[in-house]
Coordinates of all heavy atoms in Angstrom, one line a residue:
L132 N 4.0 -8.0 -11.0 CA 4.0 -7.4 -9.7 C 4.7 -6.1 -9.7 O 4.3 -5.1 -9.0 CB 4.6 -8.4 -8.6 CG 3.7 -9.5 -8.1 CD1 4.4 -10.3 -7.1 CD2 2.4 -9.0 -7.5
D133 N 5.8 -6.0 -10.4 CA 6.6 -4.8 -10.5 C 5.7 -3.7 -11.1 O 5.7 -2.5 -10.6 CB 7.9 -5.0 -11.3 CG 9.0 -5.8 -10.6 OD1 8.9 -5.9 -9.4 OD2 9.9 -6.2 -11.3
I134 N 5.0 -4.0 -12.1 CA 4.2 -3.0 -12.8 C 3.0 -2.6 -11.9 O 2.7 -1.4 -11.8 CB 3.6 -3.6 -14.2 CG1 4.8 -3.8 -15.1 CG2 2.6 -2.7 -14.7 CD1 4.4 -4.6 -16.4
L135 N 2.4 -3.6 -11.3 CA 1.2 -3.3 -10.4 C 1.7 -2.4 -9.2 O 0.9 -1.6 -8.8 CB 0.6 -4.6 -9.9 CG -0.2 -5.4 -11.0 CD1 -0.7 -6.7 -10.5 CD2 -1.4 -4.6 -11.4
A136 N 2.8 -2.7 -8.7 CA 3.3 -2.0 -7.5 C 3.6 -0.5 -7.9 O 3.3 0.4 -7.1 CB 4.6 -2.6 -7.0
K137 N 4.1 -0.3 -9.1 CA 4.4 1.1 -9.6 C 3.1 1.8 -9.7 O 2.9 3.0 -9.4 CB 5.2 1.0 -10.9 CG 6.6 0.7 -10.7 CD 7.3 0.7 -12.1 CE 8.8 0.3 -11.9 NZ 9.5 0.3 -13.3
L138 N 2.1 1.2 -10.4 CA 0.8 1.8 -10.5 C 0.1 2.1 -9.2 O -0.5 3.1 -9.0 CB -0.1 0.9 -11.4 CG 0.3 0.7 -12.9 CD1 -0.6 -0.3 -13.5 CD2 0.2 2.1 -13.6
G139 N 0.3 1.1 -8.3 CA -0.3 1.3 -6.9 C 0.3 2.5 -6.2 O -0.4 3.3 -5.6
Y140 N 1.7 2.6 -6.4 CA 2.3 3.8 -5.7 C 1.8 5.1 -6.3 O 1.6 6.1 -5.6 CB 3.9 3.7 -6.0 CG 4.6 4.8 -5.5 CD1 4.9 5.0 -4.1 CD2 5.1 5.8 -6.4 CE1 5.6 6.1 -3.6 CE2 5.8 6.9 -5.9 CZ 6.1 7.1 -4.6 OH 6.7 8.1 -4.1
I141 N 1.6 5.2 -7.6 CA 1.2 6.4 -8.3 C -0.2 6.8 -7.9 O -0.5 7.9 -7.6 CB 1.3 6.3 -9.8 CG1 2.8 6.1 -10.2 CG2 0.7 7.4 -10.5 CD1 3.0 5.7 -11.6
F142 N -1.1 5.8 -7.8 CA -2.5 6.1 -7.7 C -3.1 5.7 -6.3 O -4.3 5.9 -6.1 CB -3.4 5.3 -8.7 CG -3.1 5.7 -10.1 CD1 -2.3 4.8 -11.0 CD2 -3.5 6.9 -10.6 CE1 -2.0 5.2 -12.3 CE2 -3.2 7.3 -11.9 CZ -2.5 6.4 -12.8
Q143 N -2.3 5.3 -5.3 CA -2.8 4.9 -4.0 C -3.5 6.0 -3.3 O -4.5 5.8 -2.6 CB -1.7 4.3 -3.2 CG -0.5 5.2 -2.9 CD 0.6 4.5 -2.2 OE1 0.5 3.3 -1.7 NE2 1.8 5.1 -2.2
S144 N -3.1 7.2 -3.5 CA -3.7 8.3 -2.7 C -5.1 8.6 -3.2 O -5.9 9.3 -2.5 CB -2.8 9.6 -2.9 OG -2.7 10.0 -4.2
C145 N -5.5 8.1 -4.4 CA -6.9 8.3 -4.9 C -7.9 7.5 -4.0 O -9.0 8.0 -3.8 CB -7.0 7.8 -6.3 SG -5.9 8.7 -7.5
A146 N -7.5 6.4 -3.5 CA -8.4 5.5 -2.7 C -8.0 5.4 -1.3 O -8.8 4.9 -0.5 CB -8.5 4.1 -3.4
F147 N -6.8 5.9 -0.9 CA -6.4 5.7 0.5 C -5.8 7.0 1.1 O -5.3 7.8 0.4 CB -5.3 4.6 0.6 CG -5.7 3.2 0.2 CD1 -5.7 2.8 -1.2 CD2 -6.2 2.3 1.1 CE1 -6.1 1.5 -1.5 CE2 -6.6 1.1 0.7 CZ -6.6 0.7 -0.6
H148 N -6.0 7.1 2.4 CA -5.4 8.1 3.2 C -4.0 7.6 3.6 O -3.9 6.6 4.3 CB -6.2 8.5 4.4 CG -7.5 9.1 4.2 ND1 -7.6 10.4 3.7 CD2 -8.8 8.6 4.3 CE1 -8.9 10.7 3.5 NE2 -9.6 9.7 3.9
I149 N -2.9 8.2 3.1 CA -1.6 7.8 3.5 C -1.2 8.4 4.8 O -1.4 9.6 5.1 CB -0.5 8.3 2.4 CG1 -1.0 7.9 1.0 CG2 0.8 7.6 2.7 CD1 -1.2 6.4 0.8
Q150 N -0.8 7.5 5.7 CA -0.4 8.0 7.1 C 0.8 7.3 7.6 O 1.1 6.1 7.3 CB -1.6 7.8 8.0 CG -2.1 6.3 8.1 CD -3.5 6.2 8.7 OE1 -4.5 6.2 8.1 NE2 -3.5 6.2 10.1
N151 N 1.5 8.0 8.5 CA 2.7 7.4 9.0 C 2.4 6.6 10.3 O 2.4 7.2 11.4 CB 3.8 8.5 9.3 CG 5.1 7.9 9.8 OD1 5.3 6.7 9.8 ND2 6.0 8.7 10.2
K152 N 2.0 5.4 10.2 CA 1.6 4.6 11.3 C 2.6 3.5 11.7 O 2.7 3.1 12.8 CB 0.2 3.9 11.0 CG -0.3 3.1 12.1 CD -0.8 3.9 13.3 CE -1.4 3.0 14.4 NZ -1.8 3.8 15.6
D153 N 3.3 3.0 10.7 CA 4.3 2.0 10.9 C 5.6 2.5 11.4 O 5.9 3.7 11.4 CB 4.5 1.1 9.7 CG 3.4 0.1 9.5 OD1 2.9 -0.4 10.6 OD2 2.9 -0.2 8.4
F154 N 6.5 1.6 11.7 CA 7.8 2.0 12.3 C 8.7 2.6 11.2 O 8.8 2.1 10.1 CB 8.5 0.7 12.8 CG 9.9 0.9 13.4 CD1 10.0 1.6 14.6 CD2 11.0 0.3 12.8 CE1 11.3 1.8 15.1 CE2 12.2 0.5 13.4 CZ 12.4 1.2 14.5
E155 N 9.3 3.8 11.6 CA 10.3 4.5 10.8 C 9.7 4.8 9.4 O 8.7 5.4 9.3 CB 11.6 3.6 10.6 CG 12.4 3.6 11.9 CD 12.9 5.0 12.3 OE1 13.4 5.7 11.4 OE2 12.9 5.3 13.5
K156 N 10.3 4.2 8.3 CA 9.9 4.7 6.9 C 8.8 3.9 6.3 O 8.3 4.2 5.2 CB 11.2 4.5 6.0 CG 12.4 5.3 6.4 CD 13.5 5.1 5.5 CE 14.7 5.9 5.9 NZ 15.9 5.7 5.0
N157 N 8.3 2.9 7.0 CA 7.1 2.1 6.5 C 5.8 2.9 6.7 O 5.3 3.0 7.8 CB 7.0 0.8 7.1 CG 8.1 -0.1 6.6 OD1 8.6 0.0 5.5 ND2 8.6 -1.1 7.5
L158 N 5.2 3.5 5.7 CA 4.0 4.2 5.8 C 2.8 3.2 5.7 O 3.0 2.1 5.1 CB 3.9 5.2 4.7 CG 4.9 6.3 4.7 CD1 4.7 7.2 3.5 CD2 4.9 7.1 5.9
G159 N 1.7 3.6 6.2 CA 0.5 2.8 6.0 C -0.6 3.7 5.3 O -0.4 4.9 5.1
M160 N -1.7 3.0 4.9 CA -2.7 3.8 4.3 C -4.1 3.2 4.7 O -4.2 2.0 5.0 CB -2.6 3.7 2.8 CG -2.6 2.3 2.1 SD -2.2 2.4 0.4 CE -2.4 0.7 -0.1
R161 N -5.1 4.0 4.8 CA -6.4 3.6 5.3 C -7.4 3.9 4.1 O -7.4 5.0 3.6 CB -6.7 4.4 6.5 CG -8.0 3.8 7.2 CD -8.0 4.3 8.7 NE -9.1 3.7 9.4 CZ -9.3 3.7 10.7 NH1 -8.4 4.3 11.4 NH2 -10.3 3.2 11.2
A162 N -8.2 2.9 3.8 CA -9.2 3.0 2.7 C -10.2 4.2 3.0 O -10.8 4.2 4.0 CB -9.9 1.7 2.5
K163 N -10.3 5.0 2.0 CA -11.3 6.1 2.0 C -12.7 5.7 1.9 O -13.6 6.3 2.4 CB -11.0 7.2 0.9 CG -9.7 7.9 1.0 CD -9.5 8.8 -0.1 CE -8.1 9.5 -0.1 NZ -7.9 10.4 -1.2
F164 N -12.9 4.6 1.2 CA -14.3 4.0 0.9 C -14.1 2.5 0.7 O -13.0 2.0 0.5 CB -14.9 4.7 -0.3 CG -14.0 4.9 -1.5 CD1 -13.8 3.8 -2.3 CD2 -13.3 6.1 -1.7 CE1 -13.0 3.9 -3.4 CE2 -12.5 6.2 -2.8 CZ -12.3 5.2 -3.7
S165 N -15.3 1.9 0.7 CA -15.3 0.4 0.5 C -15.1 0.1 -1.0 O -15.6 0.8 -1.8 CB -16.6 -0.2 1.0 OG -16.7 -0.2 2.4
M166 N -14.2 -0.9 -1.2 CA -13.9 -1.3 -2.6 C -14.1 -2.9 -2.6 O -14.3 -3.5 -1.5 CB -12.5 -1.0 -2.9 CG -12.2 0.5 -3.0 SD -10.4 0.9 -3.1 CE -10.1 0.9 -1.3
P167 N -14.1 -3.5 -3.7 CA -14.1 -4.9 -3.7 C -13.0 -5.5 -2.9 O -11.8 -5.3 -3.1 CB -13.9 -5.3 -5.2 CG -14.4 -4.1 -6.0 CD -14.0 -2.9 -5.1
F168 N -13.5 -6.2 -1.8 CA -12.6 -7.0 -0.9 C -11.7 -6.1 0.0 O -10.9 -6.6 0.7 CB -11.6 -7.9 -1.7 CG -12.4 -8.7 -2.7 CD1 -12.1 -8.5 -4.1 CD2 -13.4 -9.6 -2.4 CE1 -12.8 -9.2 -5.0 CE2 -14.1 -10.3 -3.3 CZ -13.8 -10.1 -4.7
V169 N -12.0 -4.8 0.0 CA -11.3 -3.9 0.9 C -12.4 -3.0 1.5 O -13.0 -2.1 0.9 CB -10.2 -3.0 0.3 CG1 -9.6 -2.1 1.3 CG2 -9.1 -3.9 -0.4
K170 N -12.6 -3.1 2.8 CA -13.6 -2.4 3.5 C -13.1 -0.9 3.9 O -11.9 -0.7 4.1 CB -14.0 -3.0 4.8 CG -14.6 -4.4 4.7 CD -15.9 -4.4 4.0 CE -16.5 -5.8 3.9 NZ -17.8 -5.8 3.2
K171 N -14.0 0.0 3.9 CA -13.7 1.4 4.3 C -13.0 1.4 5.7 O -13.5 0.7 6.6 CB -15.0 2.2 4.3 CG -14.7 3.7 4.7 CD -16.0 4.5 4.7 CE -15.7 6.0 5.1 NZ -16.9 6.8 5.2
G172 N -11.9 2.1 5.7 CA -11.2 2.2 7.0 C -10.2 1.2 7.3 O -9.5 1.2 8.3
R173 N -10.1 0.2 6.4 CA -9.1 -0.8 6.6 C -7.7 -0.3 6.4 O -7.4 0.5 5.5 CB -9.3 -2.0 5.6 CG -8.3 -3.1 5.8 CD -8.7 -4.3 5.0 NE -7.8 -5.4 5.2 CZ -8.0 -6.7 4.8 NH1 -9.0 -7.0 4.1 NH2 -7.1 -7.6 5.1
F174 N -6.8 -0.7 7.3 CA -5.4 -0.2 7.2 C -4.5 -1.2 6.5 O -4.5 -2.4 6.9 CB -4.9 0.0 8.7 CG -3.5 0.6 8.8 CD1 -3.3 1.9 8.5 CD2 -2.5 -0.2 9.1 CE1 -2.1 2.5 8.6 CE2 -1.2 0.3 9.2 CZ -1.0 1.7 8.9
L175 N -3.8 -0.8 5.5 CA -2.9 -1.6 4.8 C -1.5 -1.0 4.7 O -1.4 0.3 4.9 CB -3.4 -1.9 3.4 CG -4.7 -2.7 3.3 CD1 -5.3 -2.5 1.8 CD2 -4.5 -4.1 3.6
S176 N -0.5 -1.7 4.3 CA 0.8 -1.1 4.0 C 0.7 -0.3 2.7 O 0.0 -0.8 1.7 CB 1.8 -2.2 3.8 OG 3.0 -1.7 3.3
S177 N 1.3 0.8 2.6 CA 1.3 1.6 1.4 C 2.4 1.0 0.5 O 3.3 0.3 0.9 CB 1.6 3.1 1.7 OG 2.8 3.2 2.4
F178 N 2.2 1.3 -0.8 CA 3.2 0.9 -1.8 C 4.4 1.7 -1.8 O 4.4 2.9 -1.4 CB 2.6 0.9 -3.2 CG 1.5 -0.1 -3.5 CD1 0.2 0.3 -3.4 CD2 1.8 -1.4 -3.7 CE1 -0.8 -0.7 -3.6 CE2 0.8 -2.4 -3.9 CZ -0.5 -2.0 -3.9
N179 N 5.5 1.1 -2.2 CA 6.8 1.9 -2.3 C 7.1 2.2 -3.7 O 6.6 1.6 -4.6 CB 7.9 1.0 -1.7 CG 7.9 0.8 -0.2 OD1 8.3 1.7 0.6 ND2 7.3 -0.3 0.2
K180 N 7.9 3.3 -3.9 CA 8.2 3.7 -5.3 C 9.0 2.7 -6.0 O 8.8 2.5 -7.2 CB 9.0 5.0 -5.2 CG 9.2 5.7 -6.5 CD 9.9 7.1 -6.3 CE 10.0 7.8 -7.7 NZ 10.6 9.2 -7.5
K181 N 9.8 1.9 -5.3 CA 10.6 0.9 -5.9 C 10.7 -0.3 -5.0 O 10.7 -0.2 -3.8 CB 12.0 1.5 -6.1 CG 12.8 0.8 -7.3 CD 14.1 1.6 -7.5 CE 14.9 1.1 -8.7 NZ 16.1 1.8 -8.9
S182 N 10.6 -1.5 -5.6 CA 10.7 -2.7 -4.8 C 12.1 -2.9 -4.1 O 13.1 -2.3 -4.6 CB 10.4 -4.0 -5.6 OG 11.5 -4.2 -6.5
F183 N 12.2 -3.7 -3.1 CA 13.4 -3.9 -2.4 C 14.5 -4.5 -3.3 O 15.6 -4.0 -3.4 CB 13.2 -4.8 -1.2 CG 14.5 -5.3 -0.6 CD1 15.2 -4.4 0.2 CD2 15.0 -6.6 -0.8 CE1 16.5 -4.8 0.8 CE2 16.2 -7.0 -0.2 CZ 16.9 -6.1 0.6
L184 N 14.1 -5.5 -4.1 CA 15.1 -6.2 -5.0 C 15.5 -5.3 -6.1 O 16.7 -5.3 -6.5 CB 14.4 -7.5 -5.6 CG 14.3 -8.6 -4.6 CD1 13.6 -9.8 -5.3 CD2 15.6 -9.1 -4.0
N185 N 14.6 -4.4 -6.6 CA 15.0 -3.5 -7.7 C 15.8 -2.3 -7.1 O 16.3 -1.5 -7.9 CB 13.8 -3.0 -8.4 CG 13.1 -4.1 -9.3 OD1 13.8 -5.1 -9.6 ND2 11.9 -4.0 -9.6
S186 N 15.9 -2.2 -5.8 CA 16.6 -1.0 -5.2 C 18.0 -1.4 -4.8 O 18.8 -0.5 -4.4 CB 15.8 -0.5 -4.0 OG 14.5 -0.1 -4.3
N187 N 18.4 -2.6 -5.1 CA 19.7 -3.1 -4.6 C 20.4 -3.8 -5.7 O 19.8 -4.4 -6.6 CB 19.6 -4.0 -3.4 CG 19.1 -3.2 -2.1 OD1 19.9 -2.5 -1.5 ND2 17.9 -3.3 -1.8
P188 N 21.8 -3.9 -5.6 CA 22.5 -4.7 -6.6 C 22.3 -6.2 -6.4 O 21.8 -6.6 -5.4 CB 24.0 -4.3 -6.3 CG 24.0 -3.8 -4.9 CD 22.7 -3.2 -4.7
D189 N 22.8 -7.0 -7.4 CA 22.6 -8.4 -7.2 C 23.5 -9.0 -6.1 O 23.0 -9.9 -5.4 CB 23.1 -9.1 -8.5 CG 22.2 -8.8 -9.7 OD1 21.2 -8.0 -9.5 OD2 22.4 -9.3 -10.8
F190 N 24.6 -8.4 -5.9 CA 25.5 -8.9 -4.8 C 26.1 -7.8 -4.0 O 26.5 -6.7 -4.6 CB 26.7 -9.7 -5.5 CG 27.6 -10.4 -4.6 CD1 27.3 -11.6 -4.0 CD2 28.8 -9.7 -4.1 CE1 28.2 -12.2 -3.1 CE2 29.7 -10.4 -3.2 CZ 29.3 -11.6 -2.7
I191 N 26.2 -7.9 -2.7 CA 26.7 -6.9 -1.8 C 27.9 -7.5 -1.1 O 27.8 -8.4 -0.3 CB 25.7 -6.4 -0.8 CG1 24.5 -5.8 -1.5 CG2 26.3 -5.4 0.2 CD1 23.3 -5.4 -0.7
D192 N 29.1 -6.9 -1.4 CA 30.3 -7.4 -0.8 C 30.6 -6.6 0.4 O 30.9 -5.4 0.4 CB 31.5 -7.2 -1.8 CG 32.8 -7.9 -1.3 OD1 32.9 -8.2 -0.1 OD2 33.7 -8.0 -2.1
N193 N 30.5 -7.3 1.6 CA 30.7 -6.7 2.9 C 32.1 -7.0 3.4 O 32.4 -6.8 4.6 CB 29.6 -7.0 3.9 CG 28.3 -6.4 3.6 OD1 28.3 -5.2 3.1 ND2 27.2 -7.1 3.8
G194 N 33.0 -7.6 2.6 CA 34.3 -7.9 3.0 C 34.4 -9.1 3.9 O 35.4 -9.2 4.7
G195 N 33.5 -9.9 3.9 CA 33.5 -11.1 4.8 C 33.9 -12.4 4.2 O 34.0 -12.5 3.0
S196 N 34.1 -13.4 5.0 CA 34.4 -14.7 4.5 C 33.2 -15.5 4.2 O 33.3 -16.5 3.5 CB 35.3 -15.4 5.6 OG 34.6 -15.5 6.8
K197 N 32.1 -15.1 4.8 CA 30.8 -15.8 4.5 C 29.9 -15.1 3.5 O 29.9 -13.8 3.5 CB 30.0 -15.9 5.9 CG 30.5 -17.0 6.8 CD 29.5 -17.1 8.0 CE 29.9 -18.2 9.0 NZ 28.9 -18.2 10.1
T198 N 29.2 -15.8 2.8 CA 28.2 -15.2 1.9 C 26.9 -16.0 2.0 O 26.8 -17.2 2.0 CB 28.6 -15.3 0.4 OG1 29.8 -14.7 0.2 CG2 27.6 -14.7 -0.5
I199 N 25.8 -15.2 2.3 CA 24.5 -15.9 2.4 C 23.6 -15.3 1.3 O 23.8 -14.3 0.8 CB 23.9 -15.6 3.8 CG1 23.7 -14.1 4.1 CG2 24.7 -16.2 4.9 CD1 22.3 -13.6 3.8
G200 N 22.5 -16.1 1.0 CA 21.5 -15.7 0.1 C 20.4 -15.1 0.9 O 20.1 -15.6 2.0
L201 N 19.7 -14.0 0.4 CA 18.6 -13.4 1.0 C 17.4 -13.6 0.2 O 17.3 -13.1 -0.9 CB 18.9 -11.9 1.3 CG 17.8 -11.1 1.9 CD1 17.5 -11.6 3.3 CD2 18.2 -9.6 2.0
Y202 N 16.4 -14.3 0.8 CA 15.1 -14.5 0.2 C 14.1 -13.6 1.0 O 13.9 -13.8 2.2 CB 14.6 -15.9 0.2 CG 13.3 -16.2 -0.4 CD1 13.3 -16.7 -1.7 CD2 12.1 -16.0 0.2 CE1 12.1 -16.9 -2.4 CE2 10.9 -16.2 -0.4 CZ 10.9 -16.7 -1.7 OH 9.7 -16.9 -2.3
V203 N 13.5 -12.6 0.3 CA 12.7 -11.6 1.0 C 11.2 -11.8 1.1 O 10.5 -11.3 1.9 CB 13.0 -10.2 0.5 CG1 14.4 -9.8 0.8 CG2 12.7 -10.1 -1.0

Side-chain angles (χ1 to χ4, degrees):
L132 282 179
D133 284 346
I134 294 169
L135 288 172
K137 285 181 182 178
L138 291 173
Y140 175 78
I141 294 169
F142 295 108
Q143 60 190 345
S144 60
C145 298
F147 295 90
H148 294 290
I149 310 299
Q150 55 193 96
N151 187 6
K152 180 68 177 177
D153 279 323
F154 181 65
E155 290 295 319
K156 297 179 182 178
N157 286 329
L158 299 177
M160 58 186 185
R161 193 162 183 166
K163 294 178 181 178
F164 45 83
S165 290
M166 296 167 273
F168 315 115
V169 178
K170 299 291 185 183
K171 181 180 179 181
R173 182 169 183 172
F174 185 77
L175 296 167
S176 167
S177 56
F178 290 102
N179 290 279
K180 190 173 183 179
K181 206 172 184 181
S182 73
F183 171 76
L184 289 176
N185 289 338
S186 301
N187 290 285
D189 294 0
F190 185 85
I191 299 173
D192 187 348
N193 289 323
S196 58
K197 283 185 177 180
T198 300
I199 60 96
L201 178 59
Y202 182 98
V203 291

